[in-house]
Structure formats: C-alpha cells, structure tokens
C-alpha cells in the first residue's frame, strides 16, 4: 500500500488537467499494472508537467515505446 500512496503523492502536479487525469488513472488502472507498467508509469511521472501533458493530450507524438501501454491508459482516463 505504501507504493500506492507514494504514487498518489507524485501525481499531485502543478496543472489541474494533469491532476484530474492522473487521479482517474490511479483510481481505475494503477492497481492492475504489472512490474513493467509500474516502471513505465514512474518514468512518465519523472517528466516535467508540460511534457507529460503534451504526451497525454496528443500534442506531442510518443516516439518512445518504453511507456506506450501506460500512456494509452492515461489517454483513456
């Protein structure tokens, strides 16, 4: 449970849009992630807010396959 709480804390960002999408993701998808998915999510959370939002909103094309599956889940949130 500590990992979930830590991830929730890291999802608190400076953009309201990101807060909403990331909270929905945490509520609906986080617990179903396998180890690979958890790593992908951690890498995405390491991105600056604007870069992460551009990926989620589709303003920036994801050329990196390392987080494609989690990014797709975030885009559906």
């Amino acid at each position: 449970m500590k990992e979930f709480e830590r991830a929730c804390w890291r999802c608190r960002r400076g953009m309201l849009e990101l807060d909403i999408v990331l909270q929905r993701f945490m509520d609906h998808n986080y617990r179903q992630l396998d180890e690979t998915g958890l790593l992908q999510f951690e890498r995405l959370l390491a991105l600056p807010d604007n870069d992460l939002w551009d990926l989620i909103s589709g303003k920036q094309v994801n050329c990196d396959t390392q987080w494609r599956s989690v990014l797709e889940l975030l885009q559906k949130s």
Side-chain angles (χ1 to χ4, degrees):
M1 190 56 117
K2 289 206 178 237
E3 287 299 315
F4 180 78
E5 292 168 357
R6 186 177 74 79
C8 283
W9 180 254
R10 290 194 63 214
C11 287
R12 296 180 57 166
R13 307 299 284 242
M15 293 178 66
L16 177 61
E17 297 89 345
L18 274 179
D19 287 345
I20 292 169
V21 169
L22 292 173
Q23 185 58 51
R24 286 182 188 161
F25 176 84
M26 293 299 294
D27 291 343
H28 301 288
N29 301 106
Y30 183 82
R31 289 185 173 100
Q32 286 82 31
L33 294 177
D34 59 9
E35 282 296 316
T36 302
L38 291 171
L39 263 167
Q40 291 173 358
F41 186 61
E42 288 292 321
R43 288 184 183 131
L44 283 168
L45 288 181
L47 294 173
D49 287 356
N50 290 332
D51 293 343
L52 179 56
W53 179 247
D54 287 349
L55 282 171
I56 292 171
S57 66
K59 291 180 185 176
Q60 181 178 337
V61 177
N62 177 24
C63 297
D64 196 340
T65 59
Q66 71 175 336
W67 51 50
R68 181 176 292 154
S69 61
V70 174
L71 184 58
E72 289 172 358
L73 290 173
L74 281 164
Q75 290 170 334
K76 294 177 186 177
S77 295

